[in-house]
């Protein structure tokens, strides 16, 4: 997606003024009035109008009379708020006929950067994509980039007036979300109601995380989820593609680690391109220094072993420089494949830190820690240094690092870099700290609360398939751990959240069963990320809306 280039202010004003003038003239000739009743329906004048606003061919010229006889007028009820998922934040009602898609109507844009949004909407609604146009026709849908540089780039305004639709935003992402609102509102042949929608998300991160390492999901299935996510105004898709069970994306630097069932880079590029059209960034996750079992199967020399010679499952020996080189090779290789800004480094469940005495159990790590960071350093310091080094690797490629909350440690002499955001997922791990500890230290946090947002196949370890109703009625982005919200003063540090699918028992459900199982939880999650307040609809009405919209 190309970056929006702002037009000179004078030129933009001229185009807007011209368009408004034509719109007013055309609206009057059509007899469609914004915010009130229409013109004289059934009168000789209204019947003689062509769809373009001029006199219809062969129509009689209305007789002039100094005292015209009263004619009946058509009255429209005041419009109601569009029913969409997520719900729009504000709607100003009006009276009028609204707008309904019909063959031959146009989608037009004011900037070439909106071509993707225009073509997509036209194809979905059976309209004609006409490109950049300054003229105004009856039934037009006009997509516009405006010059409101201080506004949220994901905000938009949708105006239905005079038989037309205008969607404007400061960025093409906002325009895209406006088209999603329009698409949902006219679903099944309904009419987009008269009035003005003003809408924007509460949270900038609205994500879906998918574990493709432990279960092989087809490229087509992932693409279907991308389309679903786009319509629901999600903007992140995280792919966890490396774990103990498999490594699922083609590699040139280390082909020996790739599992038999995997995505080719060509398939990933198609997924990334489809996601970009829908303003979704694909976020890669190569978890380390734990969860590297598939990599270690091809590189047993990098396996972490205890003083007794026992292998720590999935754990790489971070005292061995070759371990860092291998992981960095992968991070560098995939940096170009995933052009988005975010990169998830993992950092959770390193088995060297899941024993009572890490220094005694893994003396090579203790020795390396003291060598690198001084006599008082321990395995937690060495592990934090590993995380910082991987963050430095992705940062060189313009990526913003993220790590799981149990990859951060209390009381270490080595501190995690300040720009590494916390993906808070659990309070179940030994020593897991409360979210407020991270927030009070000034860290930004992304919500992956496993109490509400974890769909774990097979439901092991007291995980239960989450319900959309529970998310809808009980969860908000401030509920980071368990069921208790953090104080509201930290709300600005909580960037958003992810609904996550983890495939601990990969055969517990087919991929189609997964799609069905996460359908309403995804809809509830996007609703609460778009607007964390109490929803206007009851759960039963929200579910019915989800069923109607598909």
């Amino acid at each position: 997606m190309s970056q929006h280039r702002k037009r000179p202010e004078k030129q933009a004003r001229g185009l807007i003024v011209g368009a408004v003038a034509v719109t007013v003239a055309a609206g009057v000739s059509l007899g469609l009035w914004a915010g009130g009743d229409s013109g004289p329906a059934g009168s000789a004048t209204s019947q003689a109008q062509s769809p373009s606003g001029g006199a219809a061919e062969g129509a009689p010229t209305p007789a002039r009379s100094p005292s015209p006889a009263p004619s009946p007028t058509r009255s429209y009820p005041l419009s109601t708020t569009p029913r969409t998922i997520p719900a729009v934040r504000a709607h100003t009602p009006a009276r009028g006929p609204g707008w309904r898609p019909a063959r031959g109507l146009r989608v037009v844009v004011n900037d070439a950067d909106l071509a993707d949004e225009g073509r997509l909407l036209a194809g979905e609604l059976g309209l004609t994509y006409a490109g950049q146009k300054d003229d105004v026709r009856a039934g037009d849908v006009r997509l516009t980039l405006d010059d409101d540089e201080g506004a949220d780039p994901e905000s938009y305004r949708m105006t239905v007036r005079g038989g037309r639709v205008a969607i404007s935003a400061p960025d093409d992402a906002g325009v895209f979300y406006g088209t999603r609102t329009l698409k949902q509102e006219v679903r099944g042949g309904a009419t987009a109601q008269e009035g003005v929608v003003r809408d924007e998300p509460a949270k900038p991160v609205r994500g879906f995380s998918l574990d493709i390492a432990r279960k092989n999901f087809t490229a087509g299935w992932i693409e279907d989820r991308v389309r679903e996510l786009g319509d629901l105004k999600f903007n992140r898709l995280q792919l966890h593609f490396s774990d103990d069970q498999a490594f699922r994306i083609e590699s040139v630097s280390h082909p020996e680690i790739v599992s038999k069932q995997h995505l080719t880079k060509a398939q990933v590029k198609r997924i990334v391109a489809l996601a970009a059209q829908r303003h979704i960034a694909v976020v890669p996750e190569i978890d380390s220094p734990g969860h590297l079992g598939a990599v270690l199967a091809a590189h047993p020399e990098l396996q972490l072993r205890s003083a007794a010679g026992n292998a720590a499952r999935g754990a790489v020996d971070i005292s061995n420089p070759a371990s860092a080189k291998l992981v960095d090779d992968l991070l560098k290789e995939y940096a170009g494949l995933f052009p988005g800004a975010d990169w998830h480094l993992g950092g959770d469940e390193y088995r060297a830190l899941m024993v009572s005495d890490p220094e005694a159990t893994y003396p090579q790590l203790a020795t390396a820690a003291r060598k690198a960071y001084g006599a008082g350093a321990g395995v937690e310091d060495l592990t934090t240094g590993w995380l910082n080094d991987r963050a430095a690797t992705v940062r060189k490629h313009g990526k913003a690092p993220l790590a799981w909350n149990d990859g951060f440690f209390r009381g270490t002499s080595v501190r995690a870099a300040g720009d590494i955001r916390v993906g808070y997922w659990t309070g179940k791990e030994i020593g897991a700290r409360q979210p407020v500890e991270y927030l009070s230290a000034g860290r930004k946090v992304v919500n992956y609360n496993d109490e509400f947002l974890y769909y774990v196949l097979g439901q092991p370890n007291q995980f239960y398939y989450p319900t959309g109703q529970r998310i809808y009625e009980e969860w908000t982005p401030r509920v980071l751990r368990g069921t208790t919200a953090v104080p509201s003063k930290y709300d600005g540090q909580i960037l958003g959240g992810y609904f996550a699918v983890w495939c601990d028992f990969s055969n517990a459900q087919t991929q189609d069963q997964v799609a069905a199982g996460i359908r309403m939880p995804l809809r509830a999650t996007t609703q609460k990320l778009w607007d964390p307040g109490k929803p206007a609809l009851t759960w039963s009405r929200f579910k019915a809306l989800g069923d109607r919209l598909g």
Side-chain angles (χ1 to χ4, degrees):
M1 184 70 61
S2 57
Q3 191 69 26
H4 170 44
R5 298 177 299 279
K6 297 291 184 183
R7 295 183 173 189
E9 185 177 351
K10 183 176 179 181
Q11 181 185 3
R13 278 203 303 265
L15 289 172
I16 293 169
V17 170
V20 169
V22 177
T23 301
V24 171
V28 171
S29 70
L30 279 166
L32 301 175
W33 299 90
D37 295 336
S38 73
S43 68
T45 301
S46 67
Q47 290 175 355
Q49 300 296 323
S50 73
S52 62
E57 185 177 353
T61 303
R64 295 181 180 273
S65 170
S67 303
S71 59
T73 60
R74 181 177 177 184
S75 178
Y76 294 101
L78 197 65
S79 63
T80 57
T81 303
R83 292 302 186 196
T84 60
I85 296 176
V88 300
R89 305 289 295 274
H91 176 251
T92 303
R95 298 182 189 276
W99 179 90
R100 181 176 292 184
R103 187 173 299 279
L105 299 184
R106 306 186 307 173
V107 176
V108 297
V109 301
N110 80 328
D111 193 299
D113 283 353
L114 295 176
D116 283 348
E117 290 75 18
R119 289 192 180 98
L120 178 62
L121 182 67
E124 291 170 331
L125 300 187
L127 311 178
T128 299
Y129 176 65
Q132 288 181 260
K133 298 291 182 183
D134 292 329
D135 65 315
V136 178
R137 295 185 186 176
D140 276 354
V141 177
R142 179 170 292 276
L143 309 182
T144 303
L145 288 170
D146 59 38
D147 291 320
D148 190 358
E149 295 185 3
D152 183 335
E154 294 188 306
S155 66
Y156 68 91
R157 181 176 62 197
M158 184 179 83
T159 303
V160 181
R161 180 179 297 141
R164 301 179 186 84
V165 180
I167 297 172
S168 62
D171 188 86
D172 45 3
V175 171
F176 174 73
Y177 297 135
T179 68
R180 301 306 85 192
T181 294
L182 180 63
K183 178 186 176 183
Q184 288 193 26
E185 192 177 8
V186 301
R187 173 86 175 180
T191 297
Q193 297 196 58
E194 209 84 3
V196 180
V197 167
R198 291 179 176 84
D199 202 12
E200 64 181 358
K203 294 298 179 183
V205 174
R206 306 178 302 281
F208 171 56
S209 179
L210 180 64
D211 172 11
I212 65 173
R214 282 174 275 199
K215 183 177 180 66
N216 182 55
F217 290 90
T218 65
W221 189 93
I222 297 171
E223 290 172 0
D224 285 344
R225 299 291 72 71
V226 168
R227 296 183 183 94
E228 180 180 17
L229 295 171
D231 282 352
L232 294 171
K233 302 187 176 91
F234 281 91
N235 63 3
R236 300 287 196 284
L237 168 62
Q238 181 174 318
L239 295 180
H240 176 89
F241 63 91
S242 170
D243 212 306
D244 296 341
Q245 292 77 5
F247 191 98
R248 297 282 189 192
I249 295 181
E250 174 187 356
S251 172
V252 174
S253 65
H254 289 281
E256 73 280 0
I257 70 174
V258 179
S259 302
K260 183 177 180 181
Q261 288 185 309
H262 65 272
L263 296 173
T264 67
K265 286 190 175 180
Q267 289 174 318
V268 174
K269 287 177 181 178
R270 284 195 293 272
I271 291 168
V272 168
L274 180 67
Q277 290 176 349
R278 286 154 172 80
H279 297 274
I280 297 169
V282 182
V283 180
E285 182 194 354
I286 299 177
D287 202 344
S288 78
H291 293 281
L292 283 171
V295 171
L296 291 169
H299 289 276
E301 73 278 8
L302 303 180
Q303 174 74 60
L304 176 66
R305 294 185 179 276
S306 70
N310 298 319
R313 184 178 181 226
V316 71
D317 186 347
I318 60 176
S319 69
N320 187 340
S323 297
K325 182 182 183 305
L326 188 152
V327 173
D328 281 350
D329 285 346
L330 297 172
L331 297 178
K332 294 170 185 176
E333 177 180 357
Y334 293 112
L337 186 62
F338 297 97
D342 290 350
W343 195 291
H344 204 302
L345 296 170
D348 64 314
E349 297 181 323
Y350 187 42
R351 290 187 179 269
L353 296 173
M354 298 171 72
V355 297
S356 59
D357 190 343
E359 283 72 24
T361 307
Y362 302 100
Q364 74 274 37
L365 299 185
T367 299
R370 290 191 295 270
K371 181 179 179 180
Y373 302 113
V379 176
E380 288 185 344
D381 293 289
L382 189 68
T383 307
T384 303
W386 170 278
L387 179 66
N388 285 341
D389 289 344
R390 307 292 77 75
T393 297
V394 300
R395 202 181 289 119
K396 289 176 183 177
H397 294 274
K399 310 299 183 183
L402 175 72
W404 299 115
N405 64 286
D406 50 332
F408 297 79
F409 308 107
R410 178 193 289 122
T412 54
S413 59
V414 181
R415 300 296 178 89
D419 68 331
I420 303 177
R421 294 158 295 163
V422 178
Y424 200 99
W425 72 280
T426 189
K428 296 175 182 176
E429 296 293 308
I430 296 173
R433 290 182 284 161
Q434 292 290 336
V436 169
E437 286 198 44
Y438 303 95
L439 294 165
S440 62
R443 288 200 183 271
K444 294 182 178 178
V445 176
V446 180
N447 193 326
Y448 293 79
N449 186 335
D450 63 354
E451 179 81 14
F452 289 91
L453 306 178
Y454 264 33
Y455 192 95
V456 184
L457 297 195
Q459 304 186 104
N461 302 321
Q462 295 184 313
F463 283 111
Y464 304 100
Y465 294 131
T467 66
Q469 182 173 1
R470 189 159 180 254
I471 297 168
Y472 189 77
E473 294 178 345
E474 300 178 29
W475 179 80
T476 74
R478 284 172 46 213
V479 180
L480 287 161
R481 171 174 170 157
T483 59
T484 303
V486 298
S488 59
K489 67 180 181 179
Y490 296 119
D491 186 63
Q493 291 172 241
I494 302 170
L495 300 178
Y498 280 79
F499 185 86
V501 169
W502 296 101
C503 303
D504 292 40
F505 290 91
S506 60
N507 294 326
Q509 290 188 346
T510 66
Q511 62 180 17
D512 289 340
Q513 287 174 321
V514 172
I518 66 176
R519 186 175 169 278
M520 287 311 297
L522 279 176
R523 282 150 180 78
T525 301
T526 192
Q527 173 60 45
K528 302 305 283 288
L529 289 168
W530 195 267
D531 184 354
K534 184 178 179 180
L537 299 181
T538 63
W539 168 251
S540 61
R541 292 179 65 192
F542 182 82
K543 186 178 184 301
L545 178 63
D547 292 340
R548 181 175 70 80
L549 295 177

